[in-house]
Amino acid sequence: MRQFNNSVLAGVYNSLDLTKNHILEPVKERDANLLLKRGIWAYFLLLIFEGALRKWVLPGLATPLLVVRDPIALWLVMLAWKRNLLPANLYVTVIMIVGAVGVITALAFGHGNIAVAIYGARILMFHFPLIFVIGRVFDRDDVIRIGKFTVWLTIPMAILIAMQFYSPQSAWVNRGIGGDAKGGGFDGAMGFFRPPATFSFTNGTALFFGFASAYIFYFWLTPKSMNRIILIGATLGLLMAIPLSISRSLLSLVLACILFTLIAMSRNPKYIGKIMMAAVVLVIAIGVLSQTKFAATPIAVFTDRFTNANETEGGVSGVFVDRFLGGMVGAIIESAEKPFFGYGIGMGTSVGSMLIAGDHTVYLISEGEWGRLIGEMGIIMGFAVIIIRVIFVINLGWDSFKRVSHNDFLPWMICSIGILAIMQGQWAQPTSLGFDVILGGLIVAALRKPNRKLWLVKTIQDGENEPEVLFIK
């Protein structure tokens, strides 16, 4: 067996006549980034099950478990920096500077609470850089593994929210944070509550199933890469999760996935037949499910919630303007009324509200993300963070779109959920922050060129396989 350097290996590979007389086997090598990858998986799993720990397993530790992912994020960023795996790009540089300066201005001109300032700055200094650590450490195979795990998990998660939907708030499955017997559901419609699944709050349900829908649609586009039975089960679970969650946000996320899928199909006409067939099956499945007693109740509840909320907020256009464009434009218009350095980083978070006002249920600055950023740090620093997020999202979306013409749908489908989440997601809320970090990191990783892999070429001689050369592909 002969070994060559990379340039020679490439030449050997190009010159080989890999016919039926040759066989190829991947050479298993130790992954130098295995520890970092395990840390990222720990971050992801805690994101999914942190609420379960706080409600059912360790309710006495509910408060410290709120920030259980923060040490992992800090450790991953520091270890990646030590190994020269943290890219020194404009995004990270600007955000880190804003975070550091934000602490100083919060203490000098704002709320003056060091704990609140650090809690707010950790979003920018620990979690945001983690996006690029994930993008640098993970490869395409890791992104697929996360997706397969999520699709598998969609089925039991759908069963869980069905149990929560039909159970009273006093039931164990509906316990709130710290084991609160009053329940962890949020007001929905017709006497039913929005189920939080394994999360601390109901927004986790919408974010998880939205995240899962991106992968479910992707695997339908590439069905050979996923177990078909599991994929069908996860698809049915997603369909049922929409009414069971009583969440308009989840519906909008699934519609975004459908839109991105249609755009991808328009760039690849050969897939139109498959998508039409899938649409027919989807309509039939919805029709059959809607006739069952199990599904009829949540569908009626969701319809009632959707109708009443739209009437209150001025119809579909009112919902769009108020929830999306209104929050963005309003934050900029109202910035003139805010102090130049803001009220202090961290003040707009729930923890900041608790430490300053003694009530985590009130918004001391703004419910909207852009309003919070400008309110906390002022027009210059707050707007700098907004611009960074917008530019980052535009670059991710454009790079992902270019891959579609090459039949690479993975980054594009994750973008269907990630674009708005990263640009305007509520990073003051830990679950929303965690999903946005994971989404951003996975998109960056999916866009990165795959790691070069070492293969062993064996020549078949006299019925025996004898090693001949190694090459990198």
Side-chain angles (χ1 to χ4, degrees):
M1 183 170 60
R2 296 171 288 163
Q3 298 191 30
F4 305 88
N5 60 39
N6 291 359
S7 60
V8 175
L9 287 170
V12 171
Y13 169 63
N14 292 330
S15 64
L16 283 174
D17 179 19
L18 299 179
T19 64
K20 61 182 181 180
N21 296 320
H22 297 85
I23 59 175
L24 280 70
E25 294 180 358
V27 176
K28 295 183 179 180
E29 296 181 291
R30 185 180 183 276
D31 191 340
N33 295 322
L34 182 59
L35 183 61
L36 283 164
K37 288 184 178 182
R38 288 175 175 173
I40 295 168
W41 269 96
Y43 183 96
F44 175 69
L45 292 175
L46 283 172
L47 170 64
I48 303 297
F49 298 110
E50 167 203 307
L53 294 175
R54 300 178 69 203
K55 293 187 294 186
W56 303 319
V57 182
L58 299 169
L61 299 176
T63 299
L65 284 173
L66 175 66
V67 293
V68 68
R69 285 179 285 112
D70 288 5
I72 296 177
L74 176 60
W75 172 73
L76 285 169
V77 170
M78 294 300 295
L79 183 59
W81 174 77
K82 183 179 180 181
R83 295 185 178 183
N84 294 319
L85 294 174
L86 179 60
N89 56 40
L90 180 64
Y91 305 120
V92 175
T93 301
V94 172
I95 291 292
M96 294 285 278
I97 291 174
V98 170
V101 175
V103 173
I104 297 173
T105 57
L107 298 178
F109 308 105
H111 51 68
N113 189 312
I114 183 65
V116 173
I118 292 176
Y119 184 80
R122 95 201 194 288
I123 297 172
L124 305 179
M125 304 184 74
F126 300 170
H127 292 270
F128 183 79
L130 183 56
I131 291 175
F132 301 94
V133 174
I134 296 172
R136 186 69 176 272
V137 172
F138 266 19
D139 57 23
R140 189 182 184 87
D141 291 340
D142 296 304
V143 178
I144 295 295
R145 289 188 190 101
I146 287 276
K148 288 184 176 180
F149 173 82
T150 302
V151 172
W152 276 82
L153 188 59
T154 299
I155 299 173
M157 195 72 82
I159 294 173
L160 173 61
I161 65 169
M163 295 171 60
Q164 292 175 330
F165 179 88
Y166 282 107
S167 300
Q169 288 297 292
S170 58
W172 181 85
V173 74
N174 279 321
R175 287 286 172 86
I177 297 302
D180 186 359
K182 294 181 180 179
F186 195 66
D187 188 33
M190 297 174 60
F192 288 88
F193 291 80
R194 283 176 263 178
T198 59
F199 301 93
S200 301
F201 189 61
T202 55
N203 73 318
T205 303
L207 290 168
F208 171 80
F209 283 101
F211 180 74
S213 68
Y215 276 109
I216 288 172
F217 278 87
Y218 167 73
F219 285 125
W220 276 117
L221 293 173
T222 56
K224 293 182 179 180
S225 56
M226 184 69 197
N227 182 288
R228 184 64 63 89
I229 295 176
I230 297 299
L231 187 56
I232 292 173
T235 305
L236 294 175
L238 174 63
L239 290 176
M240 282 305 306
I242 297 174
L244 286 169
S245 66
I246 325 179
S247 171
R248 292 176 299 162
S249 296
L250 175 55
L251 176 61
S252 66
L253 292 174
V254 174
L255 291 176
C257 281
I258 294 174
L259 175 61
F260 273 60
T261 302
L262 293 176
I263 292 174
M265 296 303 94
S266 68
R267 301 278 292 180
N268 298 270
K270 68 177 183 178
Y271 289 94
I272 293 179
K274 292 183 179 180
I275 219 59
M276 293 297 293
M277 179 63 69
V280 171
V281 174
L282 185 63
V283 170
I284 294 174
I286 293 174
V288 172
L289 286 173
S290 64
Q291 298 304 309
T292 64
K293 184 177 179 180
F294 174 79
T297 299
I299 290 175
V301 173
F302 179 81
T303 303
D304 183 75
R305 159 72 180 162
F306 190 88
T307 302
N308 292 338
N310 282 355
E311 290 176 355
T312 302
E313 298 176 19
V316 176
S317 61
V319 172
F320 178 76
V321 173
D322 291 339
R323 287 195 157 204
F324 182 59
L325 294 181
M328 297 165 66
V329 177
I332 299 174
I333 294 175
E334 297 171 4
S335 63
E337 303 173 5
K338 304 291 193 302
F340 182 78
F341 289 111
Y343 296 107
I345 192 169
M347 188 173 176
T349 65
S350 58
V351 171
S353 299
M354 174 59 70
L355 294 177
I356 294 174
D359 187 353
H360 70 278
T361 63
V362 299
Y363 293 97
L364 295 181
I365 294 181
S366 172
E367 182 177 359
E369 177 68 358
W370 285 24
R372 179 189 70 83
L373 290 170
I374 295 176
E376 283 190 351
M377 295 178 287
I379 184 62
I380 300 298
M381 290 190 294
F383 201 64
V385 175
I386 292 171
I387 290 298
I388 286 295
R389 288 168 66 166
V390 171
I391 294 175
F392 180 49
V393 160
I394 291 174
N395 287 334
L396 288 182
W398 178 243
D399 290 342
S400 299
F401 180 71
K402 290 189 293 185
R403 293 290 187 90
V404 172
S405 59
H406 299 288
N407 292 334
D408 182 4
F409 303 117
L410 184 58
W412 177 247
M413 291 312 303
I414 302 176
C415 267
S416 67
I417 304 301
I419 285 180
L420 286 181
I422 298 169
M423 183 169 65
Q424 210 192 13
Q426 294 180 320
W427 287 2
Q429 207 280 333
T431 302
S432 179
L433 172 65
F435 271 106
D436 292 355
V437 168
I438 291 294
L439 283 166
L442 293 179
I443 297 170
V444 175
L447 286 170
R448 188 166 58 82
K449 291 183 179 179
N451 293 335
R452 305 182 76 185
K453 296 182 179 180
L454 194 63
W455 291 76
L456 178 66
V457 181
K458 294 182 178 180
T459 303
I460 302 176
Q461 295 178 349
D462 300 327
E464 296 182 359
N465 298 330
E466 297 183 359
E468 184 176 278
V469 296
L470 289 172
F471 74 92
I472 287 180
K473 182 178 180 182

